[in-house]
Amino acid sequence: MEVLLLNDDTIAAVATGLGGAGIGIIRISGKDAVDIGNALFVNPKEKTLSEALSHQLLYGRIIDPGTKKEVDEVLISKMKAPHSYTAEDVVEINCHGGIVPLRKILSLVIKAGARLAEPGEFTKRAFLNGRLDLTQAESVMDIINAKTEKSLEYSVAQLKGRLSQKLEELDRALVGILAHMEVNIDYPEYDIEEISYEFVNKEIHKLMKIIEGLLLVAQAGKIYREGITTAILGEPNVGKSSLLNTLLMEDKAIVTEIPGTTRDTIEEYINIQGIPFKIIDTAGIRETDNLIEKIGVEKSKKLLSQTNLVIFMRDISQAVSPGEKELLELLKNRKTIYIANKTDALKKEDCKIPEPWIPMSLLKEQGIEVLKNKMVNMVYDGTVNQDADYLITNTRHIQLLEKTKTSLENAMVTMKTKMPIELVSIDIMDALESLRGITGKAVGIDIINQIFKNFCIGK
């Protein structure tokens, strides 16, 4: 891992959302944080921030040093290094949460010697100062962006270091294998190569099982983190927008009896049994001369290649049209749920709906729960352990785990062909480097910058 030079300057940013709120927080981190706080803060009992205990709130006011005017009534605290979020000296100013006081106080903090923090720089400093590893740092944004309680639960577990602990176990095992191999390389006169091959092969098989287990639940991790992109597809006026409104329990899409009402895709997240589904109501696919509707139809067709799940709807009271036959052909090799809507329009003797079609009447609110259960079952496919206390949720982690696995497979092939043990150790080193790329033990500053630039300012 290349040398990472820490900035020795002091950074500041608004740590809460801009807008009308009861409280807003300006966070300052760095060696001058306390001095900057002292320069702006006045306590009625003339107590300074320097004199205050760490993690103690002080009441007072922020004063503009240039004009001596009072800016806002505040509560201020300091957190002495290393017992803070960034492991540096941190000062937090709790003021009123309007845009004007937040911006005014932040501008005074910057005039006093701080600079505006870059996106994710507070968390980046926590990582560089050793308070968090990279998986924990990345979980901060996962917590902020959590779409369901379940995704929040897994993100919090990752922040606590549960995934890090599992990866650390793998790290120690790989280091142990390399140490064992070094004995053979450094003392060839003892002729223990056969014993080394047997030991290494056995240990690699153990590690492969652990990695395969992590990768098995990785798909579920991506689901909880990113959600399942689900397109509602069908011809115009079969009930797609009504289904979206029913799932969302609000009138998000305009519903009329006029075919082609939905001209563009409408997207919204819903939570079903802890799984976030990104539901997309598409424009009805049909031949049309309307230019705007044509564009919507083309977007719907392109969307097929980007979806995880399709809900195909048709009006069961009507005969199958040529357009529907074409759509059904397009969906043959895709994960699809088939909905036979408007069963309320059928005569009693015609109500037998063959599988895999789910009978539905949105008018009578029938079939919705069956659909929700089917959506959840199709996501899990019986392969996900829902009771796991950690999941791999990040695409970068998955790719590096797969690289680790590939390197271990290469090591087994090298041993099978009776190549020198020095060559086996190269594959093991590659595996260790890939694994350490997940936690940040072996990752360059360019990768680190790429990860943290996606954070919000103030985090």
Side-chain angles (χ1 to χ4, degrees):
M1 182 176 180
E2 61 188 87
V3 177
L4 301 174
L5 298 176
L6 292 178
N7 292 320
D8 62 354
D9 55 356
T10 300
I11 58 173
V14 176
T16 49
L18 287 173
I23 298 293
I25 299 174
I26 291 95
R27 178 181 285 162
I28 313 166
S29 180
K31 60 183 176 64
D32 298 324
V34 176
D35 290 340
I36 290 170
N38 272 330
L40 306 177
F41 175 71
V42 174
N43 175 262
K45 294 183 179 179
E46 298 185 350
K47 190 172 183 180
T48 66
L49 192 58
S50 299
E51 296 167 337
L53 297 174
S54 183
H55 296 74
Q56 179 187 45
L57 279 172
L58 281 181
Y59 166 78
R61 286 170 170 76
I62 294 295
I63 304 295
D64 184 336
T67 64
K68 305 302 180 186
K69 286 184 179 179
E70 181 182 309
V71 176
D72 197 8
E73 186 179 36
V74 301
L75 289 171
I76 193 168
S77 64
K78 72 175 181 185
M79 286 153 268
K80 291 295 291 179
H83 305 295
S84 71
Y85 181 69
T86 60
E88 300 173 334
D89 284 352
V90 169
V91 170
E92 289 190 351
I93 302 170
N94 295 255
C95 63
H96 290 95
I99 292 175
V100 175
L102 280 167
R103 286 184 173 169
K104 177 63 178 175
I105 294 172
L106 179 61
S107 69
L108 291 175
V109 168
I110 289 170
K111 278 183 184 178
R115 68 167 170 82
L116 186 63
E118 297 172 358
E121 191 168 3
F122 290 99
T123 307
K124 182 179 177 181
R125 289 191 175 200
F127 163 67
L128 293 175
N129 288 324
R131 187 185 169 277
L132 304 172
D133 71 18
L134 210 48
T135 65
Q136 291 172 298
E138 287 169 303
S139 73
V140 172
M141 278 308 294
D142 290 343
I143 289 171
I144 293 169
N145 295 326
K147 298 174 179 67
T148 68
E149 286 187 20
K150 201 69 178 173
S151 57
L152 174 62
E153 181 184 324
Y154 285 125
S155 298
V156 169
Q158 188 167 312
L159 180 60
K160 286 181 177 178
R162 291 183 188 170
L163 175 59
S164 304
Q165 289 166 13
K166 181 59 67 174
L167 296 175
E168 188 59 35
E169 287 176 24
L170 291 171
D171 190 301
R172 286 197 299 269
L174 284 171
V175 170
I177 292 171
L178 285 168
H180 182 87
M181 294 171 74
E182 281 298 316
V183 174
N184 186 80
I185 294 168
D186 293 341
Y187 302 99
E189 66 271 16
Y190 288 103
D191 192 23
I192 56 172
E193 189 165 299
E194 285 301 322
I195 299 172
S196 290
Y197 277 156
E198 187 179 340
F199 171 81
V200 171
N201 197 50
K202 185 179 176 182
E203 290 301 303
I204 288 177
H205 273 93
K206 285 181 190 176
L207 296 182
M208 289 285 281
K209 282 186 179 180
I210 297 171
I211 293 170
E212 285 165 2
L214 289 171
L215 289 172
L216 183 63
V217 296
Q219 188 58 43
K222 282 192 70 179
I223 287 166
Y224 284 119
R225 185 173 191 258
E226 300 170 12
I228 295 292
T229 305
T230 306
I232 305 174
L233 206 64
E235 290 203 317
N237 218 30
V238 297
K240 299 187 300 298
S241 296
S242 296
L243 177 60
L244 175 70
N245 290 342
T246 302
L247 290 170
L248 295 176
M249 293 187 290
E250 64 172 297
D251 293 334
K252 184 78 174 180
I254 300 171
V255 178
T256 73
E257 293 183 2
I258 304 168
T261 301
T262 303
R263 301 297 181 87
D264 201 353
T265 58
I266 300 171
E267 301 179 4
E268 195 65 53
Y269 278 96
I270 63 169
N271 174 3
I272 303 176
Q273 297 180 32
I275 300 172
F277 287 86
K278 182 182 178 183
I279 304 292
I280 305 172
D281 177 21
T282 62
I285 297 182
R286 65 168 182 173
E287 294 298 318
T288 177
D289 294 325
N290 183 296
L291 179 60
I292 297 174
E293 193 180 343
K294 271 185 174 179
I295 294 170
V297 169
E298 285 307 310
K299 284 182 74 174
S300 295
K301 286 182 176 178
K302 285 180 182 176
L303 189 67
L304 272 178
S305 62
Q306 302 163 16
T307 55
N308 305 111
L309 181 63
V310 174
I311 298 173
F312 178 76
M313 294 188 76
R314 68 172 306 269
D315 182 349
I316 196 63
S317 67
Q318 303 295 321
V320 179
S321 70
E324 285 179 323
K325 287 179 181 176
E326 184 182 340
L327 281 175
L328 288 167
E329 282 297 315
L330 283 173
L331 297 173
K332 267 188 175 179
N333 297 317
R334 298 192 174 276
K335 194 171 274 193
T336 306
I337 298 174
Y338 298 92
I339 301 294
N341 190 29
K342 304 189 182 181
T343 54
D344 51 276
L346 295 176
K347 294 177 183 179
K348 194 172 182 179
E349 59 269 21
D350 297 329
C351 281
K352 288 184 179 179
I353 309 297
E355 290 189 354
W357 293 86
I358 296 174
M360 182 174 288
S361 170
L362 291 170
L363 188 65
K364 295 185 177 181
E365 297 184 354
Q366 295 173 348
I368 299 299
E369 290 306 313
V370 177
L371 169 62
K372 288 181 178 179
N373 290 331
K374 181 73 172 175
M375 289 167 72
V376 171
N377 290 337
M378 288 192 76
V379 169
Y380 283 129
D381 267 344
T383 60
V384 177
N385 177 9
Q386 297 177 57
D387 299 322
D389 61 354
Y390 61 85
L391 288 177
I392 304 289
T393 61
N394 190 298
T395 301
R396 187 183 71 85
H397 301 171
I398 294 169
Q399 290 173 341
L400 287 167
L401 264 181
E402 286 174 341
K403 282 183 72 175
T404 304
K405 182 172 176 266
T406 300
S407 295
L408 292 178
E409 288 169 344
N410 291 341
M412 287 192 289
V413 171
T414 305
M415 284 188 290
K416 196 172 182 180
T417 55
K418 300 296 182 182
M419 298 291 284
I421 202 160
E422 290 90 342
L423 297 180
V424 181
S425 70
I426 292 171
D427 292 324
I428 304 295
M429 283 295 297
D430 288 344
L432 184 61
E433 186 175 353
S434 297
L435 186 73
R436 288 183 169 181
I438 302 174
T439 57
K441 284 184 179 180
V443 66
I445 192 65
D446 54 334
I447 301 295
I448 290 169
N449 289 338
Q450 184 68 30
I451 289 168
F452 285 102
K453 80 172 187 179
N454 296 318
F455 279 53
C456 50
I457 292 175
K459 254 315 187 192

